[in-house]
Amino acid sequence: MFGYTLRRIIYTAPVLLGVAVVCFALVHISPGDPLISILPADASVDLQNRLRVLYGFDRSYPEQFILWLGRALQGDLGTSIATGRPVTTEVMRAVANTLMLAAVATFIGFVLGCFFGFVAGYFSNSPLDKAASAAAVFGVSVPHYWLGMVLVIIFSAQLGWLPAAGAGPGGSSQWKFDMVHLSYMVLPALTMSVIPMGIIARTVRALVAEILAQEFVIGLRARGLSEFGVFLHVVKNAAPTALAVMGVQLGYLLGGSILIETVFSWPGTGMLLNSAIFQRDLPLLQGTILVLALFFVVLNLAVDVLQSALDPRIKR
Amino acid sequence: MAHAKFTLTAVLLATTVLSVPVVAHAQDKILRIGMTAADIPRTLGQPDQGFEGNRFTGMTIYDSLTAWDLSKEDEASVVIPSLATEWAVDPDDTTKWTFTLRDDVTFHDGSPFNAEAVVWNVQKVLDEDAPHFDASQVGVTASRMPTLRSAQVIDEFTVELTTSEPDSFLPINLTNLFMASPSHWQAKFDETGDAESAWAAFAADPSGSGPFRVTGFVPRERLELAGNTDYWNPDRTPKLDGVVLVPLPEANARTAALLSGQVDWIEAPAPDAIPQIESRGFTIYANPQPHVWPWQLSFAEGSPWLDRRVRHAANLCFDREDLQILLGGYMGIPKGTVDPTHPWWGNPDFDIRYDLDEAQRLMTEAGFSAENPLTVKVQTSASGSGQMQPIPMNEYLQQALRDCYFDVELDVIEWNTLFTNWRRGATDESANGAHAINVTFATMDPFFAMVRFSSTGTFPPVSNNWGYFGNDEFDALIADARTTFEDDARDEALGRLHKRLVEEAPFVWVAHDAGPRAMSTRVTGVVQPRSWFIDIAPMDIE
């Protein structure tokens, strides 16, 4: 187990280096001026050149990359061009917000997804299966920003039950675990949860149907095991795959759905990316992508290790 | 019975005690504003996010030497004294200006405002050797006062500013230089040890001399301001207890936040939501802004716009009132870069209007017809700051100009790319063969409004004369305006420049933004001036 985990950790290093190269290159080859967020279009050529030197954009790309990577390895992702704040602080604050939202959304999605998946798998081809599968297809295919807007229109603008946007009420400075702050999370978390819900439901349905058709289940029943006992066996066999799917989904959600966070003005990584792209804030864009990639890789690693613990065959 | 009485008393007492903070909160007059920005504009003195930054974290927390008069809604906003009570140019050396300062102003940290503070604030963006020089503030400052070079203390409340060349626009430019507290920055520097960290600490806990001071700041989430009851100007001493600024970049989210009572005021509501906002009892404030939504035309060799008849025809060929309806009524109809009530109007001979017959006559005279239309390509974006509704508006123009034998091809590119291309000019390959570019611009300052589009000295890549429009006549008009230092005479000179600009028509003037903002009727004392800005200080909330 230790050897397997160590091997998986070592494999992540080239992946992260690749991610760093790709993210640096993509950001730099995109059109537009990197100083656009702080330089009005009227800025003189002298001023443009002066700032280019001050921000280090006059150096060659390899030189910029090495400097950026060197600092990043020490935890310094540079300074946001637009705000002047350290990128690391900006990203970590956004990650914390997205993490809260993604965790709640994943939990809701996992619970509902498993529920619909098991119902559909156990009662395959029945009306229950069709209803549960329809819910899963809805989750996967509905445009999430549209769903978000519909929820806002109903629950905020019309009924006035829940806040429409932001992460907390005006006048309070920090996020707290209280009813007021949680109310800000309900709509974005619900909207976000339909993504993992749909995917997990479809995966679990297929798994359950397949497991139920296997001979060992017939054997279990033949030996007189209760249906609950059989259910536990099915859960145990379905868990590694469901866990892997959930891990990947959590990874995606950590990236923050740009559209959902923008619709709800949730100050997470999705909105940070949106803002960095529109302002062409290169250090912020690179830093955010790198941190998100890091989270994704670490999450995959954790899921792989957990999966192998649950199902030792994977290690082989 | 006694038990019941005790219970009732206890409940009443508990209710009273528990309700105290609620009542206290309800009594606070806090104005909550949903901005269009994705982040709180920078708070360290020179805001980012364009004029929305100046509006919300510039003019609220800080003052400048000169300011815009935002107290009138029916005439153009003009520059008035603020921290400087008067100013004059040296008649023997017109690059030197003397500004007399107010002697009764203190910053929020209690330190005095004086000539040394002005010099310090000029140095923060212009003197790379100054310990407090901040590169991140240079971009938004230096380009808005391109000729300012240095400042020098004359006495405690008199300061001399020097420009690189004679420039009568300086007092207007100085509305963009906000005065931060040197003492407060020094305290941050003493704590942190380096300038960059000191500015970061200053941004989190800023000190200006404005009508509001910062009491809470969560980046990308909210900025909390409290009224500065010791403000030096009694007309602008806030009645509000506080203001909360919330970034809400998505138009539908802003609208929902207003409708659900989460905020009291939103900037730029979604146009199709305006009827619903109005029907729910909110007030929409709008007034044409100093802003132009144009096609900026190419005068490069081979451009079809080189013929003035074609330029005039395009300006006459579409009904701007129709376009106004398309935009829900929230659009100003242009008569030029500035409107006829403006001091720079100048009474041009060419009347921008809808006159289809005249437009067709001009096009026929220029050799075009329905069978032989003129193909023009326009580069635009699908969105962008100040661009209003670029795709529907351009499609409207495309359709309308067909009647005058124009065949308009739209080249839609990403906003930041378009903005970058604006500097590269019509002959650069980034123009992709376009004969016009559609980038909106602010017109508060003569350089921004006219000079950069009509001087031979502002051809690309120097500034935004994308179409290479200009000649000796315009250079002379600009020089005349720049070296006329008496306000009325300077405005007359700018009027002569505007008159010729409209007559030569290097633009198709399409619209002025009306800057609609929706507010709860609880907000009182609102004056929506003909400006990008609005003064929050005199407002109140019921």
Side-chain angles (χ1 to χ4, degrees):
Chain A
M1 186 70 195
F2 175 75
Y4 171 77
T5 308
L6 190 68
R7 224 172 29 248
R8 286 290 290 107
I9 290 172
I10 291 168
Y11 289 163
T12 58
V15 174
L16 282 175
L17 184 65
V19 164
V21 172
V22 169
C23 125
F24 183 86
L26 281 179
V27 166
H28 275 79
I29 58 172
S30 56
D33 194 309
L35 291 171
I36 200 159
S37 61
I38 55 163
L39 267 179
D42 321 88
S44 70
V45 176
D46 276 356
L47 178 60
Q48 288 182 33
N49 291 338
R50 234 169 78 203
L51 287 190
R52 204 155 273 127
V53 171
L54 280 167
Y55 279 92
F57 292 128
D58 59 322
R59 300 175 189 222
S60 67
Y61 284 155
E63 209 178 341
Q64 284 187 51
F65 176 69
I66 289 165
L67 283 171
W68 172 69
L69 193 64
R71 283 199 306 264
L73 287 172
Q74 297 166 52
D76 175 10
L77 294 169
T79 306
S80 157
I81 294 178
T83 68
R85 295 191 287 264
V87 169
T88 312
T89 316
E90 293 272 75
V91 177
M92 294 322 287
R93 188 184 290 121
V95 164
N97 285 331
T98 295
L99 202 57
M100 283 193 298
L101 193 61
V104 175
T106 308
F107 177 74
I108 299 171
F110 188 70
V111 170
L112 288 179
C114 285
F115 174 75
F116 287 131
F118 273 102
V119 167
Y122 258 92
F123 304 99
S124 55
N125 298 322
S126 70
L128 265 180
D129 174 22
K130 281 172 188 153
S133 296
V137 170
F138 173 81
V140 175
S141 50
V142 66
H144 305 109
Y145 63 92
W146 175 84
L147 180 66
M149 283 182 196
V150 169
L151 292 178
V152 165
I153 289 167
I154 297 170
F155 294 104
S156 300
Q158 297 298 331
L159 298 171
W161 291 353
L162 291 164
S172 72
S173 293
Q174 293 299 328
W175 211 93
K176 297 176 199 137
F177 273 100
D178 60 18
M179 288 311 287
V180 176
H181 284 80
L182 282 171
S183 69
Y184 281 78
M185 196 185 258
V186 174
L187 293 182
L190 265 181
T191 311
M192 214 178 228
S193 72
V194 299
I195 309 166
M197 186 274 285
I199 292 171
I200 290 168
R202 279 154 49 111
T203 310
V204 170
R205 183 200 176 278
L207 277 171
V208 169
E210 188 190 319
I211 293 166
L212 284 173
Q214 284 183 17
E215 286 178 358
F216 82 92
V217 175
I218 301 166
L220 289 173
R221 281 182 175 141
R223 274 188 284 163
L225 200 66
S226 69
E227 268 313 304
F228 182 71
V230 173
F231 174 73
L232 288 181
H233 277 276
V234 173
V235 169
K236 197 179 167 192
N237 278 275
T241 312
L243 202 66
V245 174
M246 191 192 79
V248 172
Q249 286 310 304
L250 182 61
Y252 284 134
L253 295 186
L254 270 183
S257 164
I258 288 186
L259 292 171
I260 293 175
E261 289 196 355
T262 305
V263 164
F264 291 101
S265 292
W266 184 266
T269 49
M271 203 150 143
L272 193 66
L273 275 176
N274 184 20
S275 155
I277 290 166
F278 276 99
Q279 292 182 300
R280 273 198 68 76
D281 191 340
L282 291 196
L284 187 60
L285 195 54
Q286 287 167 342
T288 311
I289 296 173
L290 190 70
V291 169
L292 290 176
L294 187 67
F295 266 97
F296 201 87
V297 169
V298 169
L299 203 66
N300 268 335
L301 177 69
V303 168
D304 281 357
V305 172
L306 203 61
Q307 255 187 315
S308 68
L310 286 173
D311 186 352
R313 287 173 299 177
I314 291 171
K315 275 184 283 192
R316 294 195 293 269
Chain B
M1 190 65 188
H3 178 72
K5 266 188 181 172
F6 173 78
T7 308
L8 183 64
T9 311
V11 168
L12 284 173
L13 194 63
T15 311
T16 311
V17 170
L18 289 173
S19 67
V20 166
V22 177
V23 172
H25 181 73
Q27 284 173 342
D28 285 347
K29 293 194 286 188
I30 306 289
L31 177 63
R32 301 157 305 166
I33 304 174
M35 303 181 296
T36 61
D39 189 8
I40 307 291
R42 299 187 78 188
T43 51
L44 38 58
Q46 298 306 116
D48 61 342
Q49 316 264 4
F51 283 153
E52 188 166 30
N54 280 23
R55 188 186 308 144
F56 288 127
T57 63
M59 297 161 52
T60 49
I61 309 168
Y62 297 95
D63 290 308
S64 42
L65 295 181
T66 57
W68 294 102
D69 180 4
L70 304 174
S71 63
K72 301 177 186 73
E73 59 188 13
D74 50 2
E75 52 189 85
S77 295
V78 294
V79 168
I80 54 172
S82 181
L83 290 177
T85 53
E86 54 189 61
W87 50 89
V89 70
D90 182 341
D92 299 324
D93 179 357
T94 50
T95 62
K96 295 197 183 307
W97 293 73
T98 306
F99 283 77
T100 307
L101 310 177
R102 297 191 67 89
D103 58 5
D104 57 351
V105 178
T106 52
F107 290 108
H108 299 151
D109 59 299
S111 63
F113 167 75
N114 51 28
E116 279 183 11
V118 177
V119 173
W120 187 91
N121 275 283
V122 170
Q123 286 174 333
K124 77 181 174 187
V125 284
L126 292 182
D127 182 359
E128 284 178 41
D129 296 327
H132 58 287
F133 174 75
D134 183 13
S136 75
Q137 297 184 62
V138 172
V140 290
T141 312
S143 68
R144 289 182 180 172
M145 45 205 79
T147 59
L148 180 63
R149 286 294 172 271
S150 63
Q152 191 184 333
V153 173
I154 303 296
D155 62 38
E156 190 177 1
F157 294 108
T158 312
V159 67
E160 181 184 83
L161 301 186
T162 306
T163 55
S164 57
E165 59 190 281
D167 186 2
S168 66
F169 306 160
L170 183 71
I172 304 171
N173 298 155
L174 288 173
T175 55
N176 294 296
L177 182 63
F178 294 105
M179 296 294 150
S181 164
S183 307
H184 195 61
W185 183 87
Q186 190 60 46
K188 300 293 179 193
F189 182 78
D190 293 343
E191 279 169 26
T192 58
D194 72 278
E196 198 177 321
S197 307
W199 276 116
F202 187 95
D205 172 29
S207 176
S209 64
F212 293 93
R213 59 191 169 75
V214 173
T215 51
F217 180 30
V218 185
R220 297 188 189 276
E221 289 185 46
R222 69 182 67 87
L223 179 72
E224 294 158 18
L225 305 170
N228 175 11
T229 47
D230 298 327
Y231 191 55
W232 56 269
N233 183 350
D235 294 339
R236 296 187 66 222
T237 301
K239 301 178 190 74
L240 294 165
D241 294 310
V243 174
V244 177
L245 298 170
V246 185
L248 292 171
E250 212 280 316
N252 292 305
R254 278 198 303 281
T255 305
L258 181 77
L259 294 176
S260 63
Q262 206 179 325
V263 294
D264 307 298
W265 155 349
I266 58 166
E267 298 282 281
D272 53 359
I274 285 177
Q276 191 192 5
I277 290 172
E278 285 176 324
S279 73
R280 294 274 290 267
F282 294 93
T283 310
I284 306 274
Y285 292 91
N287 211 343
Q289 292 182 332
H291 164 276
V292 173
W293 193 105
W295 280 0
Q296 187 178 347
L297 310 176
S298 169
F299 287 74
E301 198 181 334
S303 170
W305 302 109
L306 287 170
D307 186 334
R308 192 169 82 160
R309 291 169 300 190
V310 174
R311 305 197 297 271
H312 279 195
N315 270 294
L316 297 172
C317 189
F318 59 99
D319 188 347
R320 290 166 178 83
E321 286 181 12
D322 268 358
L323 193 59
Q324 197 178 35
I325 293 167
L326 180 77
L327 294 169
Y330 294 105
M331 167 196 136
I333 294 179
K335 285 284 185 183
T337 295
V338 297
D339 69 72
T341 67
H342 199 281
W344 310 336
W345 167 241
N347 204 21
D349 287 339
F350 176 51
D351 178 23
I352 295 172
R353 64 193 188 281
Y354 177 46
D355 189 340
L356 187 58
D357 293 342
E358 176 64 3
Q360 286 174 337
R361 188 189 69 74
L362 287 167
M363 285 299 279
T364 306
E365 207 176 285
F368 301 101
S369 63
E371 292 73 37
N372 177 32
L374 171 62
T375 301
V376 291
K377 186 173 180 180
V378 183
Q379 205 166 53
T380 184
S381 62
S383 63
S385 172
Q387 292 285 83
M388 299 171 78
Q389 306 287 323
I391 299 295
M393 290 171 78
N394 273 303
E395 285 174 345
Y396 174 83
L397 291 172
Q398 189 179 39
Q399 184 70 27
L401 289 177
R402 270 196 196 130
D403 292 341
C404 304
Y405 323 131
F406 285 96
D407 179 9
V408 178
E409 185 189 332
L410 297 177
D411 180 20
V412 184
I413 57 175
E414 188 268 328
W415 163 241
N416 284 325
T417 312
L418 181 78
F419 204 64
T420 307
N421 291 358
W422 200 24
R423 276 300 284 266
R424 295 183 175 154
T427 56
D428 189 83
E429 64 175 340
S430 65
N432 199 17
H435 308 112
I437 193 165
N438 170 217
V439 181
T440 55
F441 59 88
T443 62
M444 299 181 73
D445 166 301
F447 178 79
F448 282 116
M450 294 186 279
V451 173
R452 61 176 164 159
F453 304 121
S454 55
S455 163
T456 56
T458 57
F459 284 170
V462 177
S463 192
N464 297 117
N465 199 340
W466 179 88
Y468 295 87
F469 171 75
N471 52 41
D472 290 346
E473 180 200 356
F474 277 88
D475 284 347
L477 286 166
I478 292 163
D480 189 26
R482 269 217 149 121
T483 53
T484 303
F485 291 94
E486 199 271 313
D487 286 354
D488 290 342
R490 180 201 59 209
D491 288 347
E492 277 175 29
L494 287 167
R496 288 192 288 278
L497 174 62
H498 183 255
K499 170 186 164 72
R500 290 292 299 128
L501 202 63
V502 173
E503 287 166 357
E504 287 303 315
F507 296 103
V508 177
W509 285 273
V510 179
H512 295 308
D513 199 350
R517 43 176 64 96
M519 277 188 222
S520 158
T521 48
R522 293 168 59 231
V523 186
T524 58
V526 180
V527 174
Q528 167 100 38
R530 290 189 178 185
S531 170
W532 285 85
F533 307 123
I534 187 164
D535 194 358
I536 302 171
M539 293 185 195
D540 203 349
I541 198 159
E542 287 172 355

